[in-house]
Amino acid sequence: MVTIDVHSTAEHLEAAGADPKLAAAIAEGIARATPRQSGPSSISILATATALGFTLLTVVFGWFMFEASQQRSDLRAAIEANRDRIDAVEVRLASDIADLSERMTRIETLLEERLPSRR
């Protein structure tokens, strides 16, 4: 960044033997001819940092939401699979209970046929 101090430039010219009015005019002309190169303002830096911060925050939040939805769908699939397994076990148990009940009836019938009657 280039900056020119007009006052010190005029003093240097006067010290070199130039007329004070001429030194002031030359220093003023040099200052006008030299373009100021200033850096970004603090407001533009703050606005840019704020925008980048919110963008980063939005991206991170979106990523977390995506991960949460993925886990939620995985959990739903696992719950459905467990429900299907439970239903299969219930069907098998109902079938086994029916078979057991039928066997018990057959055993009772066979015992009644083979054992002498009680009187």
Side-chain angles (χ1 to χ4, degrees):
M1 184 170 10
V2 176
T3 58
I4 295 178
D5 186 6
V6 175
H7 188 2
S8 66
T9 304
E11 287 177 354
H12 290 301
L13 288 172
E14 287 176 20
D19 182 33
K21 287 183 180 179
L22 181 62
I26 292 173
E28 195 69 35
I30 292 172
R32 284 186 189 155
T34 306
R36 280 189 160 178
Q37 295 179 355
S38 62
S41 68
S42 60
I43 291 176
S44 65
I45 292 172
L46 180 64
T48 304
T50 302
L52 288 175
F54 277 121
T55 303
L56 181 64
L57 182 66
T58 303
V59 167
V60 170
F61 184 72
W63 182 73
F64 278 126
M65 290 300 293
F66 177 74
E67 286 295 317
S69 69
Q70 287 293 91
Q71 286 183 352
R72 188 178 305 138
S73 61
D74 291 346
L75 284 174
R76 284 182 181 160
I79 288 170
E80 283 299 319
N82 282 338
R83 284 182 181 159
D84 291 343
R85 287 187 203 121
I86 289 170
D87 290 342
V89 168
E90 285 179 351
V91 168
R92 192 172 49 185
L93 282 176
S95 172
D96 288 346
I97 289 173
D99 289 344
L100 185 60
S101 175
E102 185 179 326
R103 285 182 185 174
M104 291 298 287
T105 305
R106 285 183 193 166
I107 290 172
E108 286 177 357
T109 304
L110 286 173
L111 286 174
E112 286 174 0
E113 290 175 356
R114 293 187 182 177
L115 290 175
S117 62
R118 295 181 185 171
R119 294 188 192 179

